[in-house]
């Protein structure tokens, strides 16, 4: 088998030989497929991802100028960029900042890599150390992943019949009225009073007025992700305070 003449094919294509373009595509399609495979756990079908990666490959071939160095060094970031654009533009069911979308992709890739290397599911701290980010950033990305192609509450669950009572929405529990009493319980009231005013307000809006996180975010002027973090932190502090007082 003859060794593929990459430089010659690139030059022939720039000189107008259309058949050289097809040769380049066929030679580098395995590279595009490997790059698409990095995102196989993103929720998108691998066939769609490979099509997007192939489009990135074609763009790289059309834009590359012979003499600029190794083609693969140019093609890889072009293909990856096309994949990331696909996720940013078409995959997200809710509005998520671009930097957070990219962090979600980075975390998903790290989880897959670490699972193979460690032989187990990596912890958020494992992922944070691997990508050089803070654990809060990793947790935020994991929460934001739920905004990618979110499941409809009307979607039937696996193993269910056509009965409409077997949808995800029907499996969700109703709010517990006891939540409304949480801040008035003697064991919680002192710890509640020690929280910053904004955290107290968020807890009251969530558990007394029964607002959703999105509604709370709109009410106080922050992101839903930030509300989620503040709620988690406040509840952890309340739990720690009440446990220490037992």
């Amino acid at each position: 088998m003859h060794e593929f003449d990459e430089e010659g094919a690139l030059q022939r294509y720039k000189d107008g030989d259309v058949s050289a373009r097809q040769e380049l595509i066929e030679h580098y399609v395995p590279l595009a497929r490997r790059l698409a495979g990095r995102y196989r756990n993103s929720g998108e079908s691998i066939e769609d991802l490979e099509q997007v990666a192939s489009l990135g490959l074609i763009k790289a071939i059309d834009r590359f100028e012979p003499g600029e160095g190794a083609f693969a060094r140019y093609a890889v970031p072009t293909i990856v960029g096309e994949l990331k654009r696909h996720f940013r533009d078409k995959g997200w069911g809710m509005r998520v900042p671009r930097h957070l979308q990219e962090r979600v992709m980075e975390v998903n890739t790290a989880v897959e890599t670490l699972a193979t290397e460690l032989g187990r599911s990596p912890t958020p701290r494992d992922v944070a150390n691997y990508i050089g980010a803070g654990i809060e950033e990793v947790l935020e990305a994991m929460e934001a992943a739920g905004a990618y192609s979110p499941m409809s509450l009307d979607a039937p669950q696996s193993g269910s019949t056509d009965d409409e009572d077997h949808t995800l929405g029907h499996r969700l529990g109703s709010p517990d009225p006891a939540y409304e009493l949480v801040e008035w319980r003697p064991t919680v009231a002192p710890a509640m009073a020690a929280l910053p005013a904004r955290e107290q307000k968020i807890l009251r809006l969530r558990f007394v007025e029964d607002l959703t996180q999105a509604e709370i975010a709109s009410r106080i002027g922050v992101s839903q992700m930030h509300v989620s973090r503040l709620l988690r932190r406040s509840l952890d502090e309340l739990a720690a305070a009440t446990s220490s007082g037992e």
Side-chain angles (χ1 to χ4, degrees):
M1 181 181 291
H2 296 292
E3 183 178 351
F4 182 69
D5 182 7
E6 172 191 298
E7 185 176 348
L10 287 166
Q11 188 59 58
R12 284 190 292 115
Y13 176 47
K14 292 304 176 183
D15 290 340
D17 185 351
V18 179
S19 65
R21 183 178 191 249
Q22 187 59 36
E23 292 175 22
L24 289 162
I25 292 172
E26 292 175 358
H27 183 74
Y28 282 104
V29 156
L31 170 64
R33 289 174 176 165
R34 286 198 301 273
L35 293 174
R38 293 181 180 179
Y39 304 94
R40 63 171 58 89
N41 293 329
S42 65
E44 290 281 282
S45 73
I46 190 62
E47 291 81 7
D48 288 346
L49 294 176
E50 288 180 353
Q51 287 182 3
V52 173
S54 296
L55 176 60
L57 170 62
I58 293 171
K59 287 184 177 181
I61 292 171
D62 290 345
R63 296 171 182 173
F64 185 76
E65 292 293 335
E68 292 185 348
F71 173 71
R73 290 184 180 179
Y74 178 83
V76 168
T78 303
I79 295 170
V80 171
E82 196 68 26
L83 286 163
K84 288 183 176 180
R85 264 191 299 277
H86 169 75
F87 287 115
R88 286 200 302 267
D89 298 343
K90 298 181 180 178
W92 295 90
M94 304 178 193
R95 185 174 180 81
V96 175
R98 175 173 174 176
H99 77 277
L100 191 51
Q101 294 178 18
E102 294 179 348
R103 178 58 54 80
V104 170
M105 296 300 109
E106 185 179 19
V107 167
N108 286 346
T109 301
V111 167
E112 180 182 350
T113 301
L114 287 171
T116 301
E117 293 180 357
L118 301 174
R120 59 172 172 79
S121 296
T123 65
R125 190 170 298 281
D126 291 331
V127 176
N129 291 337
Y130 183 81
I131 66 176
I135 192 167
E136 279 294 322
E137 293 175 296
V138 171
L139 291 172
E140 181 182 43
M142 289 178 169
E143 288 181 331
Y148 185 81
S149 297
M151 182 180 293
S152 170
L153 294 179
D154 295 324
Q157 297 299 285
S158 59
S160 67
T161 64
D162 293 333
D163 189 340
E164 64 178 11
D165 289 341
H166 285 80
T167 64
L168 177 61
H170 281 87
R171 293 189 179 189
L172 297 179
S174 58
D176 185 347
Y179 279 140
E180 297 183 5
L181 304 177
V182 68
E183 67 175 300
W184 307 116
R185 291 175 181 171
T187 55
V188 176
M192 181 79 174
L195 292 174
R198 183 167 65 169
E199 277 81 341
Q200 291 186 43
K201 180 177 181 180
I202 289 174
L203 287 170
R204 188 174 295 107
L205 291 172
R206 179 69 186 92
F207 297 116
V208 177
E209 299 188 23
D210 197 29
L211 298 186
T212 66
Q213 291 185 12
E215 289 170 336
I216 295 171
S218 177
R219 178 80 65 88
I220 67 175
V222 299
S223 70
Q224 184 268 331
M225 296 297 174
H226 193 49
V227 168
S228 177
R229 290 199 302 273
L230 290 175
L231 273 172
R232 184 174 61 247
R233 185 176 69 188
S234 299
L235 292 173
D236 287 345
E237 291 179 7
L238 289 178
T242 53
S243 297
S244 63
E246 293 177 353

